[in-house]
């Protein structure tokens, strides 16, 4: 679709979605070319400023700081992108001579993302040079909660924080605990943590006992052979050497303990327990059958026995296991050994087998934060309802039915209530350009956008995160009217304004989707739901595994679909062309619908995880199950969430495309025997 066509369609679509009254008050936003600027200067002057900016930026990137500063000084002092040039000057080739300017930049915090990036750059630079007093000034407080799940970059910053505290004589139990916890985690840790590990080691905290603990953790896993061997080697001259050597005898064949290991000491028992834990990871069904024999022969302690049962439970409660395996866990693992993870697994199996009393009791035992999640609140209401307390069950489900989510829509449909779209629309009081023209981030955005500078995305996210609702929503409206769906969606994702449905679910390439919907016989809203989940409607995106384009087709799938229909296919380059991608994607989606009885739940699962897996996930025990029970028990968390999102997005697109509320599930999907 041509740019002007996108503009015309998006403008009409936005007007429709906001409603007649809202559309009448909707601001008039012209279609801008890249010369547009909020800088108070003539177009010729703005063009000159931008040329100078680009030259200065390149100079700083090339390390020509005097040239860069000279060019910058020729710009007006109030030119909005001076902030960016200051950032480039300070961040390229860091030095302690720039430190005071760095602190001033961070303290002023005129652009939060740049301030954060600059701080992190100097934290790592200064720590690597032993300038810990200065690191302390940059990180006076703990940057993150170490009990949260940290990303690699967050771990790196936490390591630098504790390293600097320790080096400045402010070591603490928290620092020791964090380093110990990090060391015991299997897998690679950020190189920025090497300094913390070094000082932690030098203070005597890297003991042979903690090495042994990590060795035992790695030993029982299926895929940490290198780590296990490395730790075994490290402990070869320790007091645990003989014990580790005995462990390694059974590493490749843990079941051989039954043939060659005699229990003459506590050490022998430990060797047997660790080997059996490893075997339980490798072959849980056989390990469960041998468990009684193992206990009789090697007599593990109560704690050791529970540890083994936990490993078995985590495997025996997985999707596809028979009810007998669930009963084994219930019978053999006492409540004291039920971790939160095991409880959640058992909860899903209770849902699968319709054990409503167990569902209710388990949810009562979980923490409030867990039960407050929409899906679990749904199952609480559902279990209460199924146990005969229908009024109370409907009351709980009515709370769920206020949430715009798969389970929220499911509850609303069950209660025959309106679906909770909860849409946030742009304020009728905003005006273009008055509402946005004085916002510094907006001004900087248009300068960078006008130069096709990729850094514009940082200012776009600054607007989304830190500008007020009127500014952020009006800029999202601007992006939609320009046909820039990526910016529209990013404005919602960056800011968490999930209720701004018009920007979160834009309608693009409408003529293409409409044509293929008709030709392939696939619902238009379902195609959009798949595309929105797969690619966020980006026609050129490529996934790490090789999927391409709007509907994220794998080249092999595209080739197969083309061959089956005798369509011309010229390889992966065809898949970035929207018309080709949507045609092939719709055709494959039609195949999945045909294969699974026109059931969108199963078709979406097959589109994500492959049709072979969906066939294997089919129930074979004759128990009648509904859609919710099936979806909650999809084995892959990614596919489980994928299916929920696609069905939810389908319902949202039904509303956006037609102005009418549809349904989350159709009759054939409700009545399907899962």
């Amino acid at each position: 679709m041509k740019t002007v066509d996108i503009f015309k369609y998006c403008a009409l679509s936005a007007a429709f979605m906001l409603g007649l009254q809202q559309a009448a008050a909707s601001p008039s936003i012209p279609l801008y070319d890249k010369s547009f600027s909020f800088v108070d200067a003539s177009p010729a002057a703005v063009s000159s400023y931008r040329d100078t900016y680009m030259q200065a930026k390149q100079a700083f990137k090339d390390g020509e700081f005097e040239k860069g500063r000279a060019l910058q000084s020729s710009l007006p002092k109030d030119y909005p992108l001076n902030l960016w040039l200051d950032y480039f000057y300070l961040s390229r080739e860091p030095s302690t001579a720039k430190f005071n300017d760095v602190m001033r930049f961070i303290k002023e915090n005129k652009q939060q993302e740049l301030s954060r990036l600059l701080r992190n750059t100097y934290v790592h630079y200064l720590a690597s040079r032993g300038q810990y007093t200065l690191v302390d000034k940059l990180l006076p407080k703990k940057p993150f909660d170490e009990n949260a799940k940290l990303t690699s970059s967050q771990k790196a910053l936490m390591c630098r924080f504790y390293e600097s505290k320790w080096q400045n004589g402010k070591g603490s139990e928290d620092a020791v605990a964090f380093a110990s916890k990090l060391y015991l985690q299997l897998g690679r840790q950020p190189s920025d943590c090497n300094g913390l590990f070094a000082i932690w080691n030098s203070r005597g905290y890297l003991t042979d006992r903690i090495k042994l603990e990590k060795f035992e953790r790695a030993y029982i896993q299926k895929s940490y052979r290198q780590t296990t061997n490395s730790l075994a080697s490290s402990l070869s001259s320790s007091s645990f050497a003989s014990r580790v050597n005995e462990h390694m005898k059974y590493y490749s064949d843990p079941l051989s303990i039954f043939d060659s290991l005699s229990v003459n000491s506590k050490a022998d028992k430990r060797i047997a327990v660790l080997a059996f834990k490893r075997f339980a990871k490798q072959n849980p069904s056989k390990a469960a059958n041998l468990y009684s024999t193992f206990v009789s022969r090697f007599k593990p302690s109560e704690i050791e026995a529970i540890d083994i049962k936990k490993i078995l439970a985590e495997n025996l409660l997985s999707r596809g296991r028979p009810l007998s395996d669930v009963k084994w866990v219930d019978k053999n693992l006492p409540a004291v050994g039920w971790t939160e993870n095991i409880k959640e697994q058992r909860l899903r199996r209770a849902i699968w087998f319709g054990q409503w009393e167990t569902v209710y009791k388990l949810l009562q035992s979980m923490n409030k934060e867990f039960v407050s999640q929409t899906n679990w609140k749904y199952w609480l209401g559902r279990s209460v309802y199924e146990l005969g307390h229908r009024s109370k069950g409907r009351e709980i489900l009515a709370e769920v039915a206020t949430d715009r989510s798969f389970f929220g829509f499911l509850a609303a449909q069950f209660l025959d209530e309106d679906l909770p779209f909860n849409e946030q629309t742009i304020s009728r009081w905003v005006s273009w350009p008055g509402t946005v023209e004085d916002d510094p981030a907006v001004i900087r955005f248009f300068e960078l956008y006008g130069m096709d500078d990729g850094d514009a995305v940082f200012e776009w996210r600054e607007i989304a995160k830190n500008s007020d609702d009127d500014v952020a929503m009006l800029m999202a409206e601007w992006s939609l009217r320009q046909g820039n769906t990526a910016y529209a969606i990013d404005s919602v994702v960056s800011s968490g304004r999930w209720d701004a449905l018009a920007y979160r679910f834009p309608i693009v390439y409408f003529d293409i989707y409409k044509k293929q919907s008709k030709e392939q016989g696939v619902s238009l809203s379902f195609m959009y739901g798949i595309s929105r989940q797969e690619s966020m409607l980006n026609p050129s995106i490529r996934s790490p595994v090789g999927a391409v384009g709007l509907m994220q087709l794998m080249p092999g799938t595209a080739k197969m679909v083309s061959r089956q229909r005798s369509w011309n296919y010229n390889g992966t380059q065809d898949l970035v062309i929207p018309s080709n991608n949507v045609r092939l994607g719709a055709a494959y989606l039609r195949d999945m619908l045909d294969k699974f009885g026109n059931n969108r739940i199963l078709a979406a699962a097959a589109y994500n995880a492959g049709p072979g897996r969906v066939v294997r996930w089919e129930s074979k025990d004759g128990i009648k199950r509904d859609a919710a029970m099936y979806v909650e028990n999809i084995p892959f968390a990614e596919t489980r969430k994928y299916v929920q999102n696609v069905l939810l997005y389908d319902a949202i697109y039904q509303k956006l495309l037609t102005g009418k509320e549809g349904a989350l599930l159709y009759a054939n999907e409700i009545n399907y025997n899962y």
Side-chain angles (χ1 to χ4, degrees), residues 15 26 46 207 228 320 324 330 333 360 441 466 528 541 546 567 599 613:
S26 186
V46 169
T207 62
T228 304
S324 57
D330 290 346
L333 184 61
Y360 178 78
N466 303 312
Y528 270 120
I541 193 170
W567 290 345
N599 186 312
R613 288 193 175 98

Side-chain angles (χ1 to χ4, degrees), residues 397-414:
L397 290 173
E399 293 180 27
V400 179
T402 63
D403 187 71
R404 188 185 56 250
S405 63
F406 175 83
F407 283 98
F409 277 28
L410 195 65
Q413 186 167 343
F414 173 76

Side-chain angles (χ1 to χ4, degrees), residues 275-342:
F276 198 73
K277 284 182 179 180
R278 178 167 172 76
F279 181 66
K281 287 273 191 181
Q282 294 174 339
N283 195 329
S285 294
K286 191 171 182 180
N289 291 333
L290 284 171
Y291 177 75
S292 296
T293 304
F294 173 81
V295 171
S296 175
R297 171 82 176 272
F298 295 103
K299 296 180 175 54
S301 68
E302 184 176 351
I303 292 175
E304 290 169 335
I306 288 176
D307 283 345
I308 292 170
K309 290 173 185 177
K310 285 180 185 178
I311 293 172
L312 288 171
E314 288 173 354
N315 288 275
L316 295 176
L317 292 175
S318 60
R319 171 72 161 79
R321 292 283 182 174
L323 184 58
S324 57
D325 281 358
V326 176
K327 289 180 177 179
W328 189 97
V329 175
D330 290 346
K331 179 181 178 181
N332 288 279
L333 184 61
V336 68
W338 286 48
T339 63
E340 295 299 296
N341 182 54
I342 290 173

